[in-house]
Amino acid sequence: MATIRDVARLADVSVATVSNVLNSADRVSPELSARVRAAMEKLSYTPHAGARSLRKRSSGLIGLVVGDITNPFFSDLFEAVEDAAAACGYLVLLCNSNERSEREEAHLRMLRTQRIDGLILAPTGAVSMNRASLLAQLEVPVVLVDRAMEGLGYDAVVLDNRCAGFEATQHLIACGHRRIGLVNGPEVFRTAAERLAGYREALLAAGLSFDPALVRDAGFRKQPAEQAMAELMALAEPPSAVFATNNLMTIGVVKALADRGLSCPQDVSVIGIDDLPWADAVSPRLSAIAQPVRAMGEAALELLIRRLAGTLNGPGTTTVMAPRLVIRRSCGAPASGKPAHVD
């Protein structure tokens, strides 16, 4: 089926312009409106009639709060949510918490003043009473994405993070590695805690002991990951492979190796989470655990629309999506000796 983005591309206009035409906005010129409608007819595009009816009785605004807009995962998530929302006649207000709870709370207060119809939230850290109160004050449906929160009763769309951690670590073990470093985020994030759990389960399944010295918290950021990798390689027994639990930290890990004159995978194998376009364009091509980010964004928006339309009622549901292992060139057998020790 054609999407609103397909219509915008054919008509050579923005997605917002197509949305305005669908909702009979006066600010669209007759020429642009005719172009959009011609593109819709050519593509046999049919807008979501139920959502359009709902839209006319609302502000037409949906809030989206993400953790770090510099992270390609969240920018891809925004694109997916925006496309799906536009197809239903909604505009998206994007807010970036920068992984800081106080900034997230400020955004929630602001979104309340904008009278949004619903909210999609990738929460920072653990549940707090202040956040729970602010979400309740919005008095709109809320869908959590990427990170669930216990006890609040909201719908959530998440990756099977335990499985992701297990599969990444299991792949490194299958390559022959026994000392595997983990560059992770803070355990207050459920994603980090579950990826750590998967890492530990894979070690246990292979009869390998868990060594806390091989685990570093790099805050899901690139620069701290560089430092974390430097610390791992300075150990008396450095790892022969490293699992980085998001894309920014994978970049930091690879850079730290290059800065120390170490090769991947000849000296150290690397696998990360998030399979982004550049992963197949660098040398070596990076193995990764792929997240279905577009499907996650679309599923979150669909849940929100169903809550708004009243076709989904009752307790919150959790949609768990499967990760996918993508094997490329950054993982290989460990070197015959220990990786080079670099201070």
Side-chain angles (χ1 to χ4, degrees), residues 271-294:
I271 191 169
I273 286 186
D274 291 328
D275 185 38
L276 300 169
W278 52 259
D280 198 30
V282 296
S283 182
R285 297 188 300 151
L286 294 172
S287 296
I289 298 292
Q291 299 194 69
V293 58
R294 187 162 194 91

PDB file of all heavy atoms in Angstrom, residues 271-294:
ATOM      1  N   ILE A 271      30.971  -6.532  18.304  1.00  0.00           N
ATOM      2  CA  ILE A 271      29.589  -6.609  17.851  1.00  0.00           C
ATOM      3  C   ILE A 271      28.792  -5.569  18.628  1.00  0.00           C
ATOM      4  O   ILE A 271      29.099  -5.288  19.796  1.00  0.00           O
ATOM      5  CB  ILE A 271      28.993  -8.026  18.047  1.00  0.00           C
ATOM      6  CG1 ILE A 271      27.646  -8.147  17.326  1.00  0.00           C
ATOM      7  CG2 ILE A 271      28.863  -8.384  19.526  1.00  0.00           C
ATOM      8  CD1 ILE A 271      27.116  -9.573  17.250  1.00  0.00           C
ATOM      9  N   GLY A 272      27.798  -4.972  17.972  1.00  0.00           N
ATOM     10  CA  GLY A 272      26.995  -3.945  18.626  1.00  0.00           C
ATOM     11  C   GLY A 272      25.518  -4.194  18.438  1.00  0.00           C
ATOM     12  O   GLY A 272      25.095  -5.125  17.747  1.00  0.00           O
ATOM     13  N   ILE A 273      24.720  -3.339  19.071  1.00  0.00           N
ATOM     14  CA  ILE A 273      23.273  -3.351  18.862  1.00  0.00           C
ATOM     15  C   ILE A 273      22.909  -2.131  18.035  1.00  0.00           C
ATOM     16  O   ILE A 273      23.424  -1.035  18.289  1.00  0.00           O
ATOM     17  CB  ILE A 273      22.511  -3.374  20.196  1.00  0.00           C
ATOM     18  CG1 ILE A 273      22.598  -4.774  20.828  1.00  0.00           C
ATOM     19  CG2 ILE A 273      21.052  -2.978  20.003  1.00  0.00           C
ATOM     20  CD1 ILE A 273      21.777  -4.961  22.083  1.00  0.00           C
ATOM     21  N   ASP A 274      22.028  -2.335  17.076  1.00  0.00           N
ATOM     22  CA  ASP A 274      21.545  -1.375  16.077  1.00  0.00           C
ATOM     23  C   ASP A 274      22.317  -1.580  14.780  1.00  0.00           C
ATOM     24  O   ASP A 274      23.537  -1.368  14.734  1.00  0.00           O
ATOM     25  CB  ASP A 274      21.674   0.092  16.494  1.00  0.00           C
ATOM     26  CG  ASP A 274      20.727   0.464  17.625  1.00  0.00           C
ATOM     27  OD1 ASP A 274      19.631  -0.129  17.683  1.00  0.00           O
ATOM     28  OD2 ASP A 274      21.083   1.329  18.442  1.00  0.00           O
ATOM     29  N   ASP A 275      21.614  -2.006  13.762  1.00  0.00           N
ATOM     30  CA  ASP A 275      22.217  -2.191  12.445  1.00  0.00           C
ATOM     31  C   ASP A 275      21.847  -1.003  11.584  1.00  0.00           C
ATOM     32  O   ASP A 275      20.743  -0.926  11.053  1.00  0.00           O
ATOM     33  CB  ASP A 275      21.718  -3.491  11.809  1.00  0.00           C
ATOM     34  CG  ASP A 275      22.406  -3.771  10.491  1.00  0.00           C
ATOM     35  OD1 ASP A 275      23.619  -3.499  10.401  1.00  0.00           O
ATOM     36  OD2 ASP A 275      21.731  -4.239   9.556  1.00  0.00           O
ATOM     37  N   LEU A 276      22.762  -0.054  11.486  1.00  0.00           N
ATOM     38  CA  LEU A 276      22.519   1.181  10.753  1.00  0.00           C
ATOM     39  C   LEU A 276      23.243   1.163   9.413  1.00  0.00           C
ATOM     40  O   LEU A 276      24.170   0.366   9.218  1.00  0.00           O
ATOM     41  CB  LEU A 276      22.965   2.365  11.599  1.00  0.00           C
ATOM     42  CG  LEU A 276      22.210   2.459  12.938  1.00  0.00           C
ATOM     43  CD1 LEU A 276      22.862   3.462  13.852  1.00  0.00           C
ATOM     44  CD2 LEU A 276      20.753   2.811  12.706  1.00  0.00           C
ATOM     45  N   PRO A 277      22.868   2.040   8.468  1.00  0.00           N
ATOM     46  CA  PRO A 277      23.471   1.990   7.126  1.00  0.00           C
ATOM     47  C   PRO A 277      24.986   2.030   7.116  1.00  0.00           C
ATOM     48  O   PRO A 277      25.625   1.343   6.308  1.00  0.00           O
ATOM     49  CB  PRO A 277      22.871   3.230   6.454  1.00  0.00           C
ATOM     50  CG  PRO A 277      21.554   3.416   7.112  1.00  0.00           C
ATOM     51  CD  PRO A 277      21.773   3.012   8.544  1.00  0.00           C
ATOM     52  N   TRP A 278      25.595   2.802   8.034  1.00  0.00           N
ATOM     53  CA  TRP A 278      27.051   2.911   8.021  1.00  0.00           C
ATOM     54  C   TRP A 278      27.734   1.621   8.468  1.00  0.00           C
ATOM     55  O   TRP A 278      28.922   1.427   8.218  1.00  0.00           O
ATOM     56  CB  TRP A 278      27.530   4.089   8.870  1.00  0.00           C
ATOM     57  CG  TRP A 278      27.004   4.122  10.270  1.00  0.00           C
ATOM     58  CD1 TRP A 278      25.986   4.881  10.750  1.00  0.00           C
ATOM     59  CD2 TRP A 278      27.480   3.364  11.400  1.00  0.00           C
ATOM     60  NE1 TRP A 278      25.776   4.647  12.092  1.00  0.00           N
ATOM     61  CE2 TRP A 278      26.689   3.721  12.507  1.00  0.00           C
ATOM     62  CE3 TRP A 278      28.491   2.417  11.573  1.00  0.00           C
ATOM     63  CZ2 TRP A 278      26.871   3.170  13.774  1.00  0.00           C
ATOM     64  CZ3 TRP A 278      28.673   1.866  12.838  1.00  0.00           C
ATOM     65  CH2 TRP A 278      27.880   2.244  13.919  1.00  0.00           C
ATOM     66  N   ALA A 279      27.009   0.728   9.146  1.00  0.00           N
ATOM     67  CA  ALA A 279      27.614  -0.518   9.634  1.00  0.00           C
ATOM     68  C   ALA A 279      28.118  -1.385   8.491  1.00  0.00           C
ATOM     69  O   ALA A 279      29.045  -2.178   8.659  1.00  0.00           O
ATOM     70  CB  ALA A 279      26.607  -1.294  10.482  1.00  0.00           C
ATOM     71  N   ASP A 280      27.508  -1.216   7.322  1.00  0.00           N
ATOM     72  CA  ASP A 280      27.898  -2.000   6.151  1.00  0.00           C
ATOM     73  C   ASP A 280      28.826  -1.212   5.228  1.00  0.00           C
ATOM     74  O   ASP A 280      29.188  -1.681   4.162  1.00  0.00           O
ATOM     75  CB  ASP A 280      26.637  -2.418   5.379  1.00  0.00           C
ATOM     76  CG  ASP A 280      26.907  -3.567   4.416  1.00  0.00           C
ATOM     77  OD1 ASP A 280      27.793  -4.385   4.705  1.00  0.00           O
ATOM     78  OD2 ASP A 280      26.230  -3.625   3.380  1.00  0.00           O
ATOM     79  N   ALA A 281      29.208   0.008   5.674  1.00  0.00           N
ATOM     80  CA  ALA A 281      30.009   0.876   4.805  1.00  0.00           C
ATOM     81  C   ALA A 281      31.378   1.178   5.385  1.00  0.00           C
ATOM     82  O   ALA A 281      32.170   1.893   4.776  1.00  0.00           O
ATOM     83  CB  ALA A 281      29.267   2.201   4.567  1.00  0.00           C
ATOM     84  N   VAL A 282      31.689   0.665   6.584  1.00  0.00           N
ATOM     85  CA  VAL A 282      32.993   0.887   7.205  1.00  0.00           C
ATOM     86  C   VAL A 282      33.832  -0.372   7.064  1.00  0.00           C
ATOM     87  O   VAL A 282      33.345  -1.425   6.657  1.00  0.00           O
ATOM     88  CB  VAL A 282      32.833   1.269   8.694  1.00  0.00           C
ATOM     89  CG1 VAL A 282      32.092   2.586   8.825  1.00  0.00           C
ATOM     90  CG2 VAL A 282      32.107   0.162   9.469  1.00  0.00           C
ATOM     91  N   SER A 283      35.091  -0.264   7.396  1.00  0.00           N
ATOM     92  CA  SER A 283      35.981  -1.419   7.337  1.00  0.00           C
ATOM     93  C   SER A 283      36.574  -1.675   8.720  1.00  0.00           C
ATOM     94  O   SER A 283      37.224  -0.795   9.274  1.00  0.00           O
ATOM     95  CB  SER A 283      37.108  -1.178   6.334  1.00  0.00           C
ATOM     96  OG  SER A 283      37.941  -2.304   6.236  1.00  0.00           O
ATOM     97  N   PRO A 284      36.350  -2.856   9.294  1.00  0.00           N
ATOM     98  CA  PRO A 284      35.555  -3.945   8.717  1.00  0.00           C
ATOM     99  C   PRO A 284      34.057  -3.652   8.824  1.00  0.00           C
ATOM    100  O   PRO A 284      33.637  -2.852   9.654  1.00  0.00           O
ATOM    101  CB  PRO A 284      35.933  -5.134   9.588  1.00  0.00           C
ATOM    102  CG  PRO A 284      36.191  -4.527  10.935  1.00  0.00           C
ATOM    103  CD  PRO A 284      36.853  -3.209  10.637  1.00  0.00           C
ATOM    104  N   ARG A 285      33.291  -4.321   7.990  1.00  0.00           N
ATOM    105  CA  ARG A 285      31.840  -4.196   8.093  1.00  0.00           C
ATOM    106  C   ARG A 285      31.401  -4.801   9.426  1.00  0.00           C
ATOM    107  O   ARG A 285      31.797  -5.910   9.784  1.00  0.00           O
ATOM    108  CB  ARG A 285      31.172  -4.905   6.923  1.00  0.00           C
ATOM    109  CG  ARG A 285      31.531  -4.266   5.575  1.00  0.00           C
ATOM    110  CD  ARG A 285      30.708  -4.842   4.443  1.00  0.00           C
ATOM    111  NE  ARG A 285      30.915  -6.290   4.321  1.00  0.00           N
ATOM    112  CZ  ARG A 285      30.005  -7.135   3.850  1.00  0.00           C
ATOM    113  NH1 ARG A 285      28.815  -6.690   3.478  1.00  0.00           N
ATOM    114  NH2 ARG A 285      30.283  -8.415   3.751  1.00  0.00           N
ATOM    115  N   LEU A 286      30.571  -4.055  10.153  1.00  0.00           N
ATOM    116  CA  LEU A 286      30.286  -4.402  11.546  1.00  0.00           C
ATOM    117  C   LEU A 286      29.141  -5.398  11.692  1.00  0.00           C
ATOM    118  O   LEU A 286      28.052  -5.195  11.143  1.00  0.00           O
ATOM    119  CB  LEU A 286      29.950  -3.139  12.337  1.00  0.00           C
ATOM    120  CG  LEU A 286      31.096  -2.138  12.511  1.00  0.00           C
ATOM    121  CD1 LEU A 286      30.581  -0.849  13.138  1.00  0.00           C
ATOM    122  CD2 LEU A 286      32.203  -2.741  13.354  1.00  0.00           C
ATOM    123  N   SER A 287      29.383  -6.438  12.459  1.00  0.00           N
ATOM    124  CA  SER A 287      28.311  -7.345  12.858  1.00  0.00           C
ATOM    125  C   SER A 287      27.448  -6.628  13.897  1.00  0.00           C
ATOM    126  O   SER A 287      27.944  -5.805  14.672  1.00  0.00           O
ATOM    127  CB  SER A 287      28.880  -8.631  13.450  1.00  0.00           C
ATOM    128  OG  SER A 287      29.617  -9.346  12.479  1.00  0.00           O
ATOM    129  N   ALA A 288      26.158  -6.932  13.906  1.00  0.00           N
ATOM    130  CA  ALA A 288      25.263  -6.188  14.789  1.00  0.00           C
ATOM    131  C   ALA A 288      24.000  -6.982  15.089  1.00  0.00           C
ATOM    132  O   ALA A 288      23.653  -7.933  14.378  1.00  0.00           O
ATOM    133  CB  ALA A 288      24.879  -4.852  14.154  1.00  0.00           C
ATOM    134  N   ILE A 289      23.333  -6.561  16.146  1.00  0.00           N
ATOM    135  CA  ILE A 289      21.992  -7.026  16.446  1.00  0.00           C
ATOM    136  C   ILE A 289      21.041  -5.947  15.947  1.00  0.00           C
ATOM    137  O   ILE A 289      21.063  -4.813  16.431  1.00  0.00           O
ATOM    138  CB  ILE A 289      21.788  -7.249  17.951  1.00  0.00           C
ATOM    139  CG1 ILE A 289      22.735  -8.335  18.473  1.00  0.00           C
ATOM    140  CG2 ILE A 289      20.344  -7.601  18.242  1.00  0.00           C
ATOM    141  CD1 ILE A 289      22.452  -9.728  17.966  1.00  0.00           C
ATOM    142  N   ALA A 290      20.235  -6.280  14.958  1.00  0.00           N
ATOM    143  CA  ALA A 290      19.331  -5.299  14.353  1.00  0.00           C
ATOM    144  C   ALA A 290      18.044  -5.198  15.156  1.00  0.00           C
ATOM    145  O   ALA A 290      17.470  -6.206  15.575  1.00  0.00           O
ATOM    146  CB  ALA A 290      19.026  -5.689  12.909  1.00  0.00           C
ATOM    147  N   GLN A 291      17.594  -3.956  15.358  1.00  0.00           N
ATOM    148  CA  GLN A 291      16.299  -3.702  15.968  1.00  0.00           C
ATOM    149  C   GLN A 291      15.310  -3.295  14.876  1.00  0.00           C
ATOM    150  O   GLN A 291      15.656  -2.497  14.007  1.00  0.00           O
ATOM    151  CB  GLN A 291      16.377  -2.558  16.984  1.00  0.00           C
ATOM    152  CG  GLN A 291      17.303  -2.803  18.152  1.00  0.00           C
ATOM    153  CD  GLN A 291      17.059  -1.777  19.251  1.00  0.00           C
ATOM    154  OE1 GLN A 291      16.032  -1.789  19.905  1.00  0.00           O
ATOM    155  NE2 GLN A 291      18.030  -0.894  19.463  1.00  0.00           N
ATOM    156  N   PRO A 292      14.077  -3.778  14.938  1.00  0.00           N
ATOM    157  CA  PRO A 292      13.071  -3.369  13.943  1.00  0.00           C
ATOM    158  C   PRO A 292      12.500  -2.000  14.299  1.00  0.00           C
ATOM    159  O   PRO A 292      11.318  -1.872  14.642  1.00  0.00           O
ATOM    160  CB  PRO A 292      12.025  -4.483  14.043  1.00  0.00           C
ATOM    161  CG  PRO A 292      12.085  -4.914  15.476  1.00  0.00           C
ATOM    162  CD  PRO A 292      13.546  -4.780  15.874  1.00  0.00           C
ATOM    163  N   VAL A 293      13.334  -0.967  14.222  1.00  0.00           N
ATOM    164  CA  VAL A 293      12.962   0.338  14.763  1.00  0.00           C
ATOM    165  C   VAL A 293      11.741   0.920  14.069  1.00  0.00           C
ATOM    166  O   VAL A 293      10.871   1.506  14.722  1.00  0.00           O
ATOM    167  CB  VAL A 293      14.169   1.307  14.713  1.00  0.00           C
ATOM    168  CG1 VAL A 293      14.708   1.479  13.311  1.00  0.00           C
ATOM    169  CG2 VAL A 293      13.799   2.664  15.291  1.00  0.00           C
ATOM    170  N   ARG A 294      11.658   0.779  12.757  1.00  0.00           N
ATOM    171  CA  ARG A 294      10.488   1.335  12.059  1.00  0.00           C
ATOM    172  C   ARG A 294       9.208   0.634  12.507  1.00  0.00           C
ATOM    173  O   ARG A 294       8.186   1.279  12.756  1.00  0.00           O
ATOM    174  CB  ARG A 294      10.669   1.239  10.547  1.00  0.00           C
ATOM    175  CG  ARG A 294       9.560   1.958   9.804  1.00  0.00           C
ATOM    176  CD  ARG A 294       9.869   2.286   8.360  1.00  0.00           C
ATOM    177  NE  ARG A 294       8.882   3.247   7.869  1.00  0.00           N
ATOM    178  CZ  ARG A 294       9.017   4.552   7.919  1.00  0.00           C
ATOM    179  NH1 ARG A 294      10.106   5.080   8.424  1.00  0.00           N
ATOM    180  NH2 ARG A 294       8.078   5.358   7.471  1.00  0.00           N
TER     181      ARG A 294
END
